[in-house]
Amino acid sequence: MAPAGQVLLAPSPSEGKVYDFMYYLKGAAAGGICCSLTHGALTPVDVVKTRVQLDPVKYNRGLIGGFQQVIAEEGAMALTTGLGATVLGYFIQGWFKFGGVEFFKIQSAQYLGEQKAWDNKTAIYIGAAAGAEFIADLFLCPLEAVRIRAVSDPEWADGLADGFVKMAKTEGIGGFYAGLLPILAKQIPYTCAKFVVQGTVADGIYGSMGKSPKEVDGTTSVGISLLSGVIAGVASAIISHPADTLLSKVNKKGAGGEGTMMVRLGRIANEIGFWKLCTVGLAPRCVMIGTLTAGQFGIFDTVMSALGASKFHFHNPSADH
């Protein structure tokens, strides 16, 4: 049996069924790599963002001021809190998200045919992103719960494994999925907006150039992915920010008091207020998500190319006439 690396590096077939099992495997691997690298690299920003959301009274000096406060009080290593959970969680999430989007997108396009797929590509993006994200979040949620608890209380656990053991002992399976509803409310709109906006902007750029994705070189393709990714990241950050704030709050011990998840979330939302729910921590999150999303699409395209896979793009057959 060939090693996994050799299997992934095997080129996609030039003829016949290009979008086969190996294509989806490569898409999932590229998704896991791009999400784990980008989220891991931005862990310090996420630490500050989470602190601002959890304690806006204390951390009220903006992004740079937040960095200075955390370093002054806890040392520079505090900015890496939750790194292990972040890298592992987002590799798994990226695997299912990017791999799932490619699978659902391509299956829908093949079922509908080129013209109908082109005419309905926004709906396909939304459906593919929502389905893939739902599956991905079932795997991400436990790691995100441990990460947020560790960031909100640095003394709580000594690493990822210790955090899992402590949460399992004290709260059971419910503790890992306490934030499932807000994470779905955050991630599904975020992912739908991310893929719809990025795909639409990228198609617009290619259209303005009068070229298809296959007609440009690799550097230009990655550049388009980066630019469209920044725009998509800022748009999706704004859309999903209220749910992101709720997620940060609900995973803090004792937040929202006793009761069902919906009751707790309702109390937290009332305490914060709608305006603060939408704006507290938004600036650092736009910086983080804009950079992160651009990086994800750039890395995804680069890894797919390195693995010998030609990324699927919607095609307008009417433009050929």
Side-chain angles (χ1 to χ4, degrees):
M1 182 178 291
Q6 291 182 16
V7 172
L8 282 175
L9 287 170
S12 296
S14 57
E15 297 180 0
K17 190 176 181 183
V18 176
Y19 303 112
D20 55 4
F21 173 77
M22 282 308 304
Y23 174 85
Y24 298 122
L25 183 62
K26 291 174 181 180
I33 291 168
C34 75
C35 286
S36 63
L37 286 178
T38 51
H39 279 277
L42 287 169
T43 294
V45 178
D46 202 32
V47 168
V48 175
K49 175 190 71 70
T50 302
R51 295 287 179 87
V52 170
Q53 290 173 319
L54 293 174
D55 194 353
V57 175
K58 178 179 179 180
Y59 296 96
N60 61 359
R61 293 159 48 190
L63 180 61
I64 302 301
F67 271 102
Q68 293 171 339
Q69 281 181 271
V70 172
I71 293 172
E73 295 176 7
E74 304 170 43
M77 287 303 294
L79 295 173
T80 65
T81 304
L83 178 61
T86 298
V87 171
L88 178 59
Y90 281 96
F91 180 86
I92 296 171
Q93 191 225 26
W95 178 281
F96 287 101
K97 175 160 66 176
F98 277 83
V101 166
E102 288 300 303
F103 177 80
F104 291 129
K105 182 175 64 175
I106 292 170
Q107 293 300 309
S108 298
Q110 291 177 339
Y111 175 78
L112 293 172
E114 273 194 326
Q115 188 62 60
K116 283 189 176 180
W118 176 263
D119 294 338
N120 297 279
K121 63 179 180 176
T122 298
I124 294 173
Y125 271 127
I126 292 172
E133 187 62 55
F134 178 82
I135 295 170
D137 288 345
L138 296 179
F139 293 91
L140 172 66
C141 194
L143 289 133
E144 188 72 348
V146 172
R147 182 194 70 81
I148 291 176
R149 183 66 60 82
V151 171
S152 64
D153 183 4
E155 303 298 322
W156 174 65
D158 184 21
L160 176 60
D162 185 44
F164 262 96
V165 172
K166 284 190 175 180
M167 186 167 282
K169 285 183 177 179
T170 58
E171 301 175 43
I173 191 69
F176 292 112
Y177 286 95
L180 181 60
L181 288 178
I183 206 172
L184 290 173
K186 177 188 86 168
Q187 288 295 131
I188 289 179
Y190 160 74
T191 301
C192 290
K194 177 165 90 171
F195 282 95
V196 168
V197 174
Q198 191 274 336
T200 302
V201 171
D203 286 343
I205 296 173
Y206 284 117
S208 69
M209 296 169 63
K211 294 184 177 182
S212 72
K214 293 181 180 180
E215 295 173 327
V216 301
D217 58 41
T219 302
T220 302
S221 178
V222 171
I224 291 172
S225 295
L226 291 172
L227 176 58
S228 57
V230 169
I231 297 170
V234 173
S236 54
I238 294 171
I239 289 170
S240 61
H241 189 68
D244 182 67
T245 302
L246 284 176
L247 176 64
S248 294
K249 291 285 188 180
V250 80
N251 278 309
K252 188 176 182 180
K253 188 174 182 180
E258 300 296 326
T260 65
M261 178 57 57
M262 293 305 296
V263 170
R264 291 176 61 204
L265 289 172
R267 289 198 192 107
I268 293 170
N270 285 332
E271 289 171 5
I272 298 172
F274 179 75
W275 177 250
K276 288 185 177 179
L277 198 64
C278 296
T279 59
V280 171
L282 180 59
R285 187 157 191 264
C286 282
V287 172
M288 175 183 169
I289 300 300
T291 306
L292 180 148
T293 304
Q296 284 180 357
F297 283 108
I299 294 170
F300 180 82
D301 285 3
T302 301
V303 173
M304 287 290 279
S305 178
L307 293 176
S310 179
K311 183 182 173 183
F312 172 85
H313 289 277
F314 288 103
H315 173 66
N316 182 10
S318 299
D320 297 336
H321 304 298

